[in-house]
Every structure is written in structure tokens, then in C-alpha cells.
Amino acid sequence: MCGIWALFGSDECLSVQCLSAMKIAHRGPDAFRFENVNGFTNCCFGFHRLAVVDQLYGMQPIRVKKFPYLWLCYNGEIYNFKQLQKQFGFEYQTLVDGEVILHLYNRGGIEQTASMLDGVFAFILLDTANRKVFLARDTYGVRPLFKVLTDDGFLGVCSEAKGLINLKHSTSICSKVEPFLPGHYEVLDLKPSGKVASVELVKFHSYKDEPLHVACDTVETLPSGSFDLETVKSNIRILFENAVRKRLMAHRRIGCLLSGGLDSSLVAAVLLKLMKEININYPLQTFAIGMENSPDLLAARKVAAHIGSEHHEVIFNSEEGIQAIEEVIFSLETYDITTVRASIGMYLVSKYIRKKTDSVVIFSGEGSDELTQGYIYFHKAPSPEEAAEESERLLKELYLFDVLRADRTTAAHGLELRVPFLDHRFTSYYLSLPAELRIPKNGIEKYLLRQSFEGSNLLPKEILWRPKEAFSDGIASVKKSWFSILQDYIDQQVDDLLLEKAVEKYPFNTPKTKESYYYRQIFEKHYSGQSNWLPHYWMPKWVKATDPSARTLKHYKSATQE
């Protein structure tokens, strides 16, 4: 996890523009480099480094003797860089996994490069010999990327929007800062003046398609075309374990977030099992956060005891959570209600990890709810086909919601997140299964995933079959939800009259509650006029919900009252 920043065709002094690059210093606390591009005095790269691999030669932009005309600034992890080296006979100059991007590009161009990378990434690749700039982002947008491109060809690129919003340019108003779309690459021509012109934006991978890099995966070919239940369950176990195994690539200590829910518990259990197998000589640290006696803390305790991790509990009170709201919204760059709620706990636990431990590479369970239909409202899906469509929509929008939350809250404290549920091969296989296999069954969501690990003894049975509890709900008690605590506080902060006139002040995504108005006010304070970064609020489907919390849904209420 790093922070990348680049400008092409800047009219202003680069030493002044460089101040914007410092806005993302939290993403790379170990080192910083600012480098001009030879022959293009108004083009530059900025890089904040979190040293996870090759601590000696890992600074960026990466340049190697074999390709002196290529400059690479990237944020991510490429898990198959050694397999690609073996397959194509690449000769690496460093131990940095991202160096493979240079070799792939030289061999087959940008399309093959983006398609063959098994990992999470956002990169800026400059080819001065052919005067091209390339931008690319992984399938689910696990690694963030933003850009701004003006009509006269000034381009700014950054890991977070906050590194672009204050850039200076000769035209009085800079164009809109926008998130770069996941699963796409963009080709831009670099003019002698240093300005650029966009040539094409190409979608290189759809999450439903088996990725091209399967050809050099470490897992053997799976039985294809067979949807026999035992075969399916076996394949799910094999691919999930493989997803965790490939993410063990790190020279820094590995830890794991553990809420005690199914997703983080499976990740932690498989992670610890594999760490033992490859003789990693330190205990796995697991981290849970919640208010005193919250459901998440109690469940996480059970899991940690079962798997034998070195478990840490972070207990916070409502005042600490409320005090963190503004810094959380600044870090997130969004005002989405459920994202803000869930981010506060994750932000506080990440802060603890950074200050109190030496774990840096942090595993987490993001992506499972979207992939395996884990949200409670999936019980109300009219048909398996509509449930499958909704699952795909949620995956497509992950970069706006849960993936955004997971990245920003951990990156704010210089941690690197790893999310095995969003492994390309695992997700494409799961999505290839018949729609009726993936729906909730017997009143239980993620039924197939749970079934697949039954009998493995990885988790206690009550955890494997624990009902869905949203992270922002599970950190508080059942008697009073976290969202209720927030709403009670905010009710005193926002006047009724302000909410009544909300449509005049905020015509786009107009806040309907005092809570959403409060978050929007804070967002606009830091990112005025950028409300379009959030196309719509996250809300459950097929139910008449006025709040995104699962605890407001009938299914949850009936389950807790039984």
C-alpha cells in the first residue's frame, strides 16, 4: 500500500504543486520521493512508500536499465509476478512485484499487461519513447485512483482525491476530479509540451469472466461444467484457500481484522492455518473492536480462542466514536450514511494497530457480502436470477462503498489491506455457479459458503452459522445500535429548519435525515462541490427501508426476538 501522484503538463511551479502530493503522506509513512521527468520539465511523479516488499530497491517511480524510457508509479500487490517471470523468462532487476508491469508492457502492450496481473493495483505508466501515458486500476478497485484532466491537456493523477482538489492551473477552474473506473485502462498521448490527450478508455476485465492469468496460477485446473454440490463445495474451499495463500507475500508482519462474523472469521482461520504450514515464526494478531459486551467482541473472542490467535480487543465508547466522525469523513472522501457509520470502528481499530502493534499487512473479509449474497435483504429477492443481478451490481459498485471504506480507514494509518474474498479467480468461479445455488436457504444467507466449510473444523459451528450482522451494528449492543447512538447525538446538532431547506442547499443526493445532513455538511467543508463522487446512497433493495441498517429490517428483528 502506497500513495501515488503524478502531473503531466503543469503550468504552475512544480515545487508549489508538490504540496498537494503531501496530502496523501499517510499512505506511505516510510519514504517519499518527488521526481521530474527527463525532457519534460512540467511532468513529475510523487511517491509515498509503505515498504512491504524489497526494502532496498522498492522506491518509485520504478525504472530499470533494460527499459530506460519507462517510468512506473504503482500502488498494489501483484501476486503472480514470480509465475509470470517463469512463464515468460523475465529478468528482474529488483525484488519489487510491480516490476513485472514493465516487462509485460514491453512484451505485449498495455492490454496484455493489465489482463495478466493477478492482484490489486492502480498504476501510472509513462513511455517516453512512444510518448504515451497509461493509467490502470484492478477489477474491483481495491486500490484507489483519481484523476483530473483539463480541456487543455493538464493531467493530475492520485491515489486519493484530496491530492488533486487544490492543484493550480492557468485556466481559472480545474475540471472535475473523478474516480478512475475499476477494471479499466486508459491510453493518453503525451505531447512535446508535456500536455496529454486521451485516446481511449478500455474495460480489460469483467468480474464474471475467468481472468487470463489463470493460465499461470498455482492451483491445478478445476473440474469444469460440473455443478455437483460436493464438487462445488470442494472448489470453493480450494480457491478460497488459494486466495489467502497468494496474499501471504510480505516482508512485514501480517495481522487480521476479526469481527466474529462469518467472513472475517473464515479469513482469520484459513490465514492462521496457512501461516503455520509455511512456518511463519510469529503468532497471528487478530483485532476486534466494539463497545463493551457488543456482539462482535463476544463472537471474535470465541473465534480467536478456537483458532489460537494473539487476540486484541479495542473497546471504545460513544464519545470517542462521535469525536472521530469528521476525521473519518475527511479520510473517506464520501458522505454515504452506512459507509460513514461502518468506517468509524474500522478507523479506530486501524489507529490502534498502527500505534500499539507491529502488524502492517492486514487481512479482512470485504467483498463476501456482495459476492455470496450476504446482506439480509437478499431474503426478499423475487427470484434467484434477480438476486444474482443484484450481487453483480453490488460488486460493480464496491469501489464506492465497502472497498472505499476498507482502503481509506486502514491507509489513513499506514496499513496495507488484503481482501481474499475479492480474488479474481475465486469471484469468477462463484459467479459462474447457477443462480439458485447462491441464494439464501432455510432463512440463512451465504448458505453455500457456510455449507462449503462445514466439517472442516476451521470455526466453531455457532460462528460458521452466525447470522449476518452489519459491522456498524455489531460493534454496539443489541439494546442500542450504533446508528441509534449517532442519530441521538446528531439530532441535537442539526436544526429542523436546516433539514427542511436541504433540497435548496444540496439539490443532488439531498439529505433526507439529520444524520445524512450532518455528514454532508462535513463533506462539503472539505470537498466543496464534489458531491458527485457518490452517485447514490447505499440502501437495501426489495424492502421499504428508510435506513441502511440491517437492524431496521423485519428479518433481523424477528431473528433476534426468537
Side-chain angles (χ1 to χ4, degrees):
M1 196 281 300
C2 301
I4 60 175
W5 182 87
L7 299 185
F8 298 89
S10 174
D11 293 338
E12 298 292 324
C13 173
L14 290 180
S15 59
V16 174
Q17 302 280 48
C18 181
L19 295 173
S20 285
M22 303 315 292
K23 297 278 184 69
I24 59 161
H26 50 273
R27 296 191 71 89
D30 295 331
F32 171 66
R33 177 184 283 175
F34 183 72
E35 189 167 340
N36 284 27
V37 178
N38 304 341
F40 295 90
T41 55
N42 58 357
C43 301
C44 61
F45 288 94
F47 178 67
H48 294 276
R49 186 174 188 217
L50 178 68
V52 173
V53 295
D54 196 347
Q55 310 217 0
L56 187 59
Y57 296 110
M59 275 306 283
Q60 297 185 35
I62 297 173
R63 304 182 68 203
V64 295
K65 289 176 184 174
K66 195 171 182 182
F67 316 118
Y69 48 88
L70 296 182
W71 305 60
L72 174 68
C73 224
Y74 93 106
N75 168 26
E77 300 80 49
I78 311 303
Y79 305 122
N80 64 342
F81 77 109
K82 287 182 179 175
Q83 289 94 322
L84 290 168
Q85 180 185 31
K86 189 176 176 183
Q87 180 164 331
F88 297 122
F90 294 151
E91 293 179 11
Y92 293 157
Q93 193 175 304
T94 72
L95 299 175
V96 179
D97 50 288
E99 187 188 330
V100 70
I101 295 169
L102 301 176
H103 295 268
L104 279 173
Y105 170 73
N106 179 70
R107 182 185 181 277
I110 190 64
E111 175 85 35
Q112 186 193 60
T113 302
S115 301
M116 289 299 288
L117 298 175
D118 182 6
V120 293
F121 57 86
F123 68 74
I124 308 154
L125 176 63
L126 169 63
D127 179 346
T128 54
N130 294 294
R131 295 230 169 125
K132 298 283 184 190
V133 177
F134 303 96
L135 309 177
R137 190 177 181 190
D138 67 76
T139 301
Y140 293 109
V142 173
R143 290 292 174 261
L145 194 66
F146 286 81
K147 75 164 197 178
V148 59
L149 179 60
T150 65
D151 291 341
D152 66 339
F154 167 55
L155 173 68
V157 188
C158 190
S159 295
E160 297 181 19
K162 55 181 67 70
L164 300 176
I165 56 173
N166 294 318
L167 289 174
K168 303 285 187 283
H169 192 58
S170 55
T171 52
S172 55
I173 300 173
C174 251
S175 297
K176 285 276 188 186
V177 174
E178 297 173 325
F180 189 83
L181 286 175
H184 286 70
Y185 68 79
E186 185 171 10
V187 183
L188 302 106
D189 283 334
L190 178 65
K191 298 172 185 177
S193 64
K195 306 278 189 188
V196 302
S198 181
V199 177
E200 59 177 344
L201 179 68
V202 178
K203 185 175 184 178
F204 65 84
H205 181 230
S206 174
Y207 39 83
K208 289 179 75 173
D209 299 334
E210 188 173 68
L212 286 182
H213 54 68
V214 164
C216 53
D217 199 354
T218 49
V219 165
E220 70 278 7
T221 305
L222 297 169
S224 60
S226 170
F227 296 126
D228 165 69
L229 186 58
E230 290 309 310
T231 303
V232 166
K233 291 194 297 186
S234 170
N235 288 346
I236 287 171
R237 289 193 300 273
I238 290 167
L239 289 177
F240 184 68
E241 193 166 297
N242 184 49
V244 177
R245 182 183 291 107
K246 68 178 75 163
R247 284 164 175 76
L248 289 169
M249 181 183 87
H251 296 163
R252 302 286 287 273
R253 184 167 184 162
I254 292 169
C256 188
L257 298 180
L258 180 60
S259 71
L262 174 68
D263 310 326
S264 63
S265 299
L266 270 180
V267 171
V270 173
L271 176 58
L272 194 138
K273 171 178 174 270
L274 296 176
M275 285 171 69
K276 284 179 179 172
E277 284 180 14
I278 62 171
N279 297 315
I280 288 179
N281 60 4
Y282 56 77
L284 173 67
Q285 292 180 328
T286 50
F287 304 95
I289 186 165
M291 294 180 174
E292 202 78 56
N293 294 319
S294 66
D296 278 5
L297 284 182
L298 301 174
R301 225 173 272 166
K302 277 184 192 169
V303 177
H306 183 85
I307 66 175
S309 63
E310 179 192 303
H311 191 54
H312 296 243
E313 289 186 354
V314 182
I315 296 169
F316 77 104
N317 58 38
S318 54
E319 191 179 330
E320 288 170 310
I322 286 162
Q323 282 177 349
I325 293 173
E326 179 153 356
E327 56 193 274
V328 165
I329 291 173
F330 175 73
S331 294
L332 290 176
E333 304 174 334
T334 188
Y335 52 93
D336 178 62
I337 304 161
T338 193
T339 305
V340 174
R341 288 176 186 170
S343 294
I344 292 168
M346 201 163 181
Y347 184 87
L348 292 174
V349 76
S350 298
K351 191 176 188 178
Y352 169 90
I353 295 169
R354 186 68 192 177
K355 283 187 172 181
K356 305 286 189 183
T357 79
D358 59 347
S359 286
V360 173
V361 175
I362 306 298
F363 279 68
S364 190
E366 271 69 35
S368 175
D369 285 324
E370 291 76 9
L371 176 67
T372 67
Q373 302 182 18
Y375 293 115
I376 285 173
Y377 72 85
F378 272 98
H379 290 283
K380 302 292 184 185
S383 68
E385 291 70 29
E386 286 187 62
E389 282 175 22
E390 174 66 357
S391 175
E392 289 161 27
R393 181 190 72 81
L394 289 169
L395 286 166
K396 186 181 177 183
E397 293 188 344
L398 261 174
Y399 77 105
L400 297 166
F401 299 107
D402 277 21
V403 153
L404 179 150
R405 164 180 56 77
D407 173 80
R408 301 302 196 288
T409 54
T410 50
H413 301 290
L415 304 176
E416 177 176 296
L417 193 78
R418 304 237 168 135
V419 282
F421 275 108
L422 291 177
D423 180 78
H424 297 167
R425 193 166 178 199
F426 179 72
T427 57
S428 64
Y429 176 75
Y430 206 96
L431 292 170
S432 75
L433 299 173
E436 58 272 14
L437 265 186
R438 293 182 270 148
I439 57 171
K441 285 188 175 65
N442 304 331
I444 300 169
E445 63 284 341
K446 303 185 208 175
Y447 194 87
L448 177 61
L449 181 65
R450 298 174 198 272
Q451 232 186 347
S452 300
F453 287 92
E454 186 150 53
S456 65
N457 198 36
L458 279 169
L459 295 172
K461 189 164 185 178
E462 66 268 28
I463 298 296
L464 186 63
W465 294 94
R466 183 189 176 198
K468 167 69 183 167
E469 178 84 84
F471 182 56
S472 60
D473 294 330
I475 59 174
S477 72
V478 176
K479 289 178 183 174
K480 186 149 189 178
S481 291
W482 175 227
F483 78 90
S484 298
I485 293 166
L486 284 168
Q487 287 170 350
D488 286 353
Y489 166 76
I490 291 166
D491 196 49
Q492 306 303 312
Q493 310 302 311
V494 177
D495 191 83
D496 291 345
L497 193 61
L498 286 175
L499 190 60
E500 283 172 29
K501 295 187 174 181
V503 72
E504 296 169 24
K505 192 171 185 181
Y506 305 124
F508 178 72
N509 275 345
T510 303
K512 298 287 195 293
T513 65
K514 287 188 176 183
E515 185 186 9
S516 58
Y517 190 97
Y518 186 72
Y519 298 158
R520 182 65 172 272
Q521 267 188 322
I522 295 171
F523 175 85
E524 293 289 344
K525 175 181 167 184
H526 296 288
Y527 306 110
S528 179
Q530 305 290 350
S531 60
N532 62 308
W533 292 345
L534 177 69
H536 61 87
Y537 292 105
W538 194 101
M539 288 293 278
K541 203 172 178 179
W542 305 306
V543 289
K544 290 178 181 176
T546 54
D547 190 283
S549 171
R551 288 197 179 174
T552 64
L553 301 183
K554 190 179 175 185
H555 182 90
Y556 178 87
K557 288 175 181 173
S558 61
T560 56
Q561 286 161 6
E562 283 170 6

